[in-house]
Amino acid sequence: MCFLLFQHIFNMTSNMLGNVTCPSFCNITNPVWCQNFINGLNELNCPTRDCETNLCEEAARCEDLVDVSAPTLEASDLDFCPIVFDGWSCVNSTPAGSTIKFPCPNFLHFNYDKDNWAYRECSSEGHWFDIELNKSFTHYEQCPDAHGFKMFDMINKVYMAGYGISLVFLCLATLIFMQFRSLKCVRNTIHTNLFIASILHNSLRLIWYYVQYQIGSISQWSEASIVACKVLHTLVEYFTVCTYFWMLCEGLYLFVVLIVTFISESRVLIGLCTLGWIFPGVLVLLYALLRAFSSEPGHHMFCWMDETPYNWVLKVPCILTIFINLMFLARIVHVLVSKLHTDVSDRAAFIKTARAIGVLVPLFGLQYFLMMVKPDERDSTLRIIMEFFGAITTSFHGLVIAILFCFINNEVSIQLKKFFGDHINTRHRSMAMTQYTYVRGNASQTLATSGSPPNGTEDQSMAFV
């Protein structure tokens, strides 16, 4: 029988490769398949041990299939290509001169769809051979989820466009706050630090997306390039955490000046700088050390792009900042409502309250609440909608805060008009988005958030209006 002949040749080849040993966790008895397993694992760049376990189980299933199907094939008068484990999949025996199709492996990090089909050609002589490639070969070209790839590629393009546009507006807003001395105050200093953190975050994110599109050729990267890529990842995570903590600083400062009557703002600023720049550095350093010294092979793949349990070292503090800012917002709105209801009509109080909430939500980063829970189904309509919504709200966040707290701020408009003269159209009325009322004796003075408080009023009581 031809099948027995090829099985004999297969066994001879196995003996020649008898010195090949599989990892201890994978009990593959066939040396040829063991070598295929090692080659397949190297090509796969497996991010977790689950992939290794799945490949081992596939190889074991293939060996069991050989034992079950051998009697049937031996009794047949037809020529068959033998069962083979190619390193990724178990390819069943198939009649000579035909092509076998089988479901694609479920490699999510390769964007493979298990509903697509891979195939392998069996020659008329009864052995695996691809005429075009002049060797035995399994074709996985049709496995990637083309529709899903296009969809998430569009989402990435939205991120890149949003980060780029926000970067321009954030840079302009930062230059304005740094250029005019009359705009220098604690509130605007906090705004500036948030802008700078967002600028660095957006810039590195754009570089990171470029690296993502180059990740397919990472096997040809030098060791120095891989190290540089991991450093880039660490910097991206650092400035991401900094952005969250500076949003917390915004909420904390506003809470302090409204609730705590007497306080030195210069001391508050020192504490906020520590919270906004140093504390995130400690978290990211801990994360980088944990990941660098991890014994899990998958934790070192793809420039640390894949999620690991160590990512929660960064995720938990960022989530907490949003929850804390939500509590700050609730307290601030309570103070605001109690103040407004004594001074203005209910309708006017409602409008001012709604306006304050609308302005403070992006400043405090509360829109990220909507992105905390996503459907598990990667291709579900709801998941795709939420991904697009997340891309828009996240990437254009810098644009929104730059416009709200710089470009339509009354004090900024006054300074720009002085600087440019009559070149700015004065027909449009600018407005201050956040105001304080400094109370001193029987007199009060309302100032925009970007304006400087009156001389000697830093320790006076203040109410949000």
Side-chain angles (χ1 to χ4, degrees), residues 207-259:
I207 299 174
W208 182 245
Y209 278 113
Y210 172 79
V211 172
Q212 278 188 311
Y213 281 101
Q214 301 297 318
I215 207 71
S217 60
I218 192 172
S219 57
Q220 286 79 42
W221 287 13
S222 65
E223 186 66 28
S225 298
I226 294 176
V227 171
C229 184
K230 292 178 179 179
V231 171
L232 174 62
H233 166 82
T234 304
L235 290 174
V236 169
E237 296 296 333
Y238 169 67
F239 287 111
T240 300
V241 178
C242 283
T243 302
Y244 275 90
F245 272 84
W246 273 109
M247 288 188 292
L248 175 62
C249 291
E250 294 276 6
L252 178 60
Y253 176 76
L254 192 55
F255 176 81
V256 167
V257 297
L258 292 178
I259 306 303

Side-chain angles (χ1 to χ4, degrees), residues 148-174:
F149 176 81
K150 291 180 180 179
M151 188 64 62
F152 283 93
D153 182 63
M154 289 177 59
I155 293 173
N156 283 344
K157 297 292 177 55
V158 172
Y159 272 111
M160 295 171 69
Y163 283 135
I165 295 172
S166 295
L167 186 62
V168 173
F169 279 81
L170 287 167
C171 288
L172 290 175
T174 303

Side-chain angles (χ1 to χ4, degrees), residues 46-67:
C46 207
T48 65
R49 288 203 182 275
D50 290 340
C51 293
E52 299 174 352
T53 303
N54 292 338
L55 291 185
C56 288
E57 292 175 352
E58 185 73 1
R61 185 180 72 85
C62 216
E63 290 189 333
D64 293 340
L65 189 61
V66 170
D67 297 335

Side-chain angles (χ1 to χ4, degrees), residues 389-408:
F389 178 79
I392 294 171
T393 57
T394 300
S395 62
F396 286 94
H397 178 252
L399 170 65
V400 173
I401 60 176
I403 291 176
L404 289 179
F405 298 97
C406 179
F407 294 108
I408 62 174

Side-chain angles (χ1 to χ4, degrees), residues 24 52 90 108 156 237 314 326 359 454:
S24 58
E52 299 174 352
C90 178
L108 293 180
N156 283 344
E237 296 296 333
L314 306 178
L326 180 63
V359 171

